[in-house]
Amino acid sequence: MTTAIIDYGSGNLHSAQKAFEQAARTQGLSTQILVTSDPEAVRNADRIVLPGVGAFADCRRGLDAVPGMVEAMTETVFKKARPFLGICVGMQLLAERGLEYETSRGLGWIAGDTVRIEPRDPALKIPHMGWNNLSQKRAHPLLEGIPENLHAYFVHSYHLKPTNQSDIVATTDYGGELTAFVARDTIAGTQFHPEKSQKLGLALIANFLRWAP
Amino acid sequence: MLKKRVIPCLDVKDGRVVKGVQFVDLVDAGDPVQSALAYDAAGADELCFLDITASHEDRGILMDVVRRTAEACFMPLTVGGGVRSVDDIRNLLLAGADKVSIMTAAVNDRNFVKEAATKFGSQCIVVAIDAKRITAQGEAPRWEIFTHGGRRATGIDALNYAREVTALGAGELLLTSMDRDGTKIGYDIELTRAISDSVSVPVIASGGVGTLQHMVEGIRDGHASAVLAASIFHFGEFSIRETKEALAQAGLAVRMD
C-alpha cells in the first residue's frame, strides 16, 4: 500500500511524513509513505494526503504550478475512489472559493467558501492558535475510537464554511463554531494538524491509513 | 475552548542543550531530542528551541537537531536564533520546525517580517521582542526594544514596534522582559498586558518566572495566550503538570491530555 503526500512547495512535509510513518509503525500497517510531486505517483497511490500551510491563494498557485497534479488528484479521488485527506490549507482548498487576500478558486470538492474567522468576542486573538476540543456532529471512520476529551492543534485565521451542513463532521468553539473536520464520500479534511496533535492526531492518521470506504 | 499554552524553551548551543535539563530517566540530559521527548511525554503544549550558537557554520548541527526532533515529537516546534533570511526560514521549516522566531533581522529590516509572512504564512512567523523599561521618574511606563541579549538599545518603542510587526504579518509575539529575564521575580505584567492588549495576535510571555503563581499572573493579569519558561522546568523545580494544575486552579483553561 502506498500513501502519497503531495509536495507542491507548501507544507511541513517532513513532519507530516514522520507522523504518518509513526502511525503506520505503531499500528503494524505496512504502507509506504511517499512525499511526491509526481502526478503519476499520485495516480498509483492508494491514499492521498494534501498538506498545506500559508495563504490560500499562494497554495492554490503552488498546486497549479505542478503540471497535471490537480487532474491526477481529481482522477484518483473521483474515478478510483481512493481515500483523500486534506490538512489545514489542504482542507480549505476543498472549498469552491478562498477569500484570503484575494478571491481564488478552490478545488470545489466541498461546496462552500473559505472565509476569515470572525469571533463574536472581538478580544479573541486571530490566528486561532493552540489546542482546542472537537465537537463531533456525526460519526466518521477517521474519528472512530478517539476519546472526546482529547485536544487537536489548530493554527489558522480562515476556515471552510460548507454550504451543506452534512459535510461537517466536527466543529471547534472559538467565539462561535469553526469548521474543524469536513468529509464527503472518500474525501476528508481537517483544519487542525493531526501531525502535530499527539495522541488524537496519530490515532486519526492510523484510522486514515486503515480507512476503506 | 482554546487552551492556554505552556511552552518549555531549550537553549541549544552546538547541538547540545545548555544549562542542562533534569529529567528522571533521561539517557542524555544534554541532548535536545531526548529533552524534547521528555517534555512531549510530560504534556508540554509546544516546544521552543533557541539556537544560541547562531554562527553560520553551525547551522547544519541545528538542522539535524530539528530534523531528529520532528521525527520523534508530534507537537508544534518553534525554532529561533540567528534567523536572518528567507532561506534560513525555509530550511528550518523543511527540517521540521512549525514556527520560526525572528528578532534582530526584524528590528534591522521590518520588511523582512512582511516578506516572511507573505511567503510562509503569518501562522509560522513569530517575532521575538526583547524589551526593557526605560521610564523616567513620573513618566507613564515605556519600554524600548533591545537586541544582542539586552546589550544594544535600538531607540524603538516596544508598543509601536509590536503593532508594526503585527500589521506586517507576524502571527505571534514572543515577549521577553529584559529587566526580569533570569531574576525569578515574575514577568513584567504591565509590559505583557500593554503589548497583549494592543495587538490582535497571541502573545507568549517570557522572562522572570520563578514560581507557579508567576505563570498564572502572566496569563490572568498579563493577558498572554501562552507562558514560556526555561530554567524552572529544566532544573525540575516545577513540572509541566504542576504548572497546568496551578493554571487550572486559577480558573484558566489548560490541556491535560
Side-chain angles (χ1 to χ4, degrees):
Chain A
M1 185 172 84
T2 305
T3 300
I5 300 178
I6 297 175
D7 177 6
Y8 61 108
S10 171
N12 44 350
L13 299 168
H14 184 74
S15 316
Q17 183 184 16
K18 292 300 158 188
F20 276 76
E21 284 172 2
Q22 171 84 3
R25 200 162 40 236
T26 51
Q27 298 293 317
L29 301 167
S30 84
T31 180
Q32 193 201 354
I33 311 296
L34 192 69
V35 172
T36 181
S37 54
D38 174 12
E40 265 325 291
V42 169
R43 271 195 186 87
N44 294 324
D46 300 289
R47 283 154 217 285
I48 304 174
V49 180
L50 185 67
V53 295
F56 190 105
D58 260 4
C59 288
R60 174 72 219 212
R61 275 191 286 271
L63 195 55
D64 286 340
V66 187
M69 186 54 89
V70 172
E71 292 75 10
M73 281 165 46
T74 309
E75 196 183 305
T76 316
V77 170
F78 288 95
K79 289 205 181 127
K80 297 181 179 167
R82 300 274 196 253
F84 173 95
L85 177 64
I87 297 173
C88 197
V89 182
M91 170 261 213
Q92 296 180 353
L93 284 168
L94 296 173
E96 293 164 294
R97 297 186 307 164
L99 306 180
E100 187 172 1
Y101 294 119
E102 55 192 282
T103 301
S104 34
R105 212 167 26 86
L107 293 167
W109 295 0
I110 299 276
D113 288 342
T114 292
V115 299
R116 188 164 172 85
I117 299 172
E118 282 170 351
R120 278 193 299 269
D121 176 0
L124 286 177
K125 304 286 192 176
I126 305 284
H128 170 227
M129 186 188 286
W131 299 84
N132 209 332
N133 302 94
L134 300 182
S135 163
Q136 208 172 328
K137 301 295 171 190
R138 65 176 170 92
H140 192 277
L142 294 199
L143 289 180
E144 216 170 274
I146 297 180
E148 265 206 37
N149 59 344
L150 291 185
H151 289 78
Y153 188 82
F154 290 85
V155 50
H156 61 126
S157 305
Y158 287 74
H159 76 131
L160 200 169
K161 258 197 142 140
T163 312
N164 305 318
Q165 292 305 301
S166 57
D167 289 340
I168 302 177
V169 173
T171 58
T172 191
D173 180 64
Y174 193 61
E177 277 196 331
L178 301 182
T179 308
F181 187 154
V182 291
R184 180 170 80 82
D185 306 326
T186 66
I187 302 160
T190 62
Q191 177 60 67
F192 54 91
H193 287 269
E195 77 284 10
K196 290 287 153 188
S197 296
Q198 288 181 324
K199 289 177 201 138
L200 179 150
L202 292 173
L204 186 143
I205 293 169
N207 282 344
F208 175 72
L209 293 174
R210 271 193 302 252
W211 188 24
Chain B
M1 184 194 277
L2 184 69
K3 304 303 185 288
K4 303 301 178 188
R5 288 168 283 150
V6 177
I7 308 173
C9 180
L10 299 163
D11 287 350
V12 180
K13 188 170 191 260
D14 305 325
R16 305 285 294 172
V17 179
V18 290
K19 289 189 202 161
V21 180
Q22 267 182 11
F23 272 112
V24 186
D25 298 335
L26 204 54
V27 181
D28 176 0
D31 177 22
V33 183
Q34 289 282 333
S35 307
L37 277 170
Y39 279 125
D40 191 7
D45 293 312
E46 291 185 23
L47 270 181
C48 182
F49 282 164
L50 205 53
D51 181 33
I52 56 171
T53 328
S55 77
H56 256 301
E57 309 81 74
D58 295 324
R59 290 308 267 190
I61 303 173
L62 177 74
M63 292 301 165
D64 183 54
V65 166
V66 173
R67 204 169 290 119
R68 286 191 296 128
T69 304
E71 278 171 21
C73 264
F74 303 101
M75 67 189 309
L77 173 67
T78 302
V79 184
V83 176
R84 293 192 179 84
S85 66
V86 162
D87 277 344
D88 288 342
I89 299 176
R90 181 178 291 116
N91 290 336
L92 285 169
L93 294 176
L94 282 177
D98 298 288
K99 300 188 243 180
V100 170
S101 161
I102 54 184
M103 191 174 76
T104 311
V107 173
N108 292 343
D109 173 18
R110 239 63 107 235
N111 260 325
F112 180 49
V113 177
K114 189 175 180 182
E115 192 188 356
T118 311
K119 248 196 178 75
F120 305 106
S122 289
Q123 83 292 329
C124 67
I125 304 302
V126 181
V127 170
I129 298 180
D130 282 4
K132 213 172 195 168
R133 210 174 259 262
I134 49 154
T135 319
Q137 219 160 25
E139 248 185 358
R142 252 172 358 108
W143 296 268
E144 185 177 323
I145 303 287
F146 277 69
T147 59
H148 297 82
R151 292 191 303 278
R152 198 173 294 176
T154 63
I156 302 167
D157 177 77
L159 243 65
N160 288 341
Y161 181 75
R163 288 193 197 101
E164 197 183 347
V165 293
T166 308
L168 288 169
E172 192 171 37
L173 301 178
L174 168 52
L175 175 65
T176 306
S177 158
M178 297 316 292
D179 305 297
R180 298 300 178 91
D181 204 28
T183 62
K184 300 205 167 192
I185 58 169
Y187 298 117
D188 182 339
I189 295 297
E190 240 184 326
L191 165 68
T192 311
R193 186 167 48 215
I195 300 270
S196 212
D197 288 354
S198 55
V199 297
S200 60
V201 301
V203 170
I204 306 170
S206 156
V209 170
T211 67
L212 295 175
Q213 197 52 33
H214 290 153
M215 287 189 270
V216 171
E217 289 163 5
I219 292 171
R220 191 191 56 201
D221 308 328
H223 300 172
S225 298
V227 283
L228 178 138
S231 54
I232 68 156
F233 294 136
H234 303 339
F235 298 117
E237 287 169 57
F238 300 107
S239 67
I240 302 285
R241 185 89 199 172
E242 283 169 322
T243 304
K244 290 193 169 185
E245 277 163 4
L247 294 176
Q249 258 171 23
L252 300 166
V254 289
R255 178 181 74 106
M256 287 295 194
D257 44 273

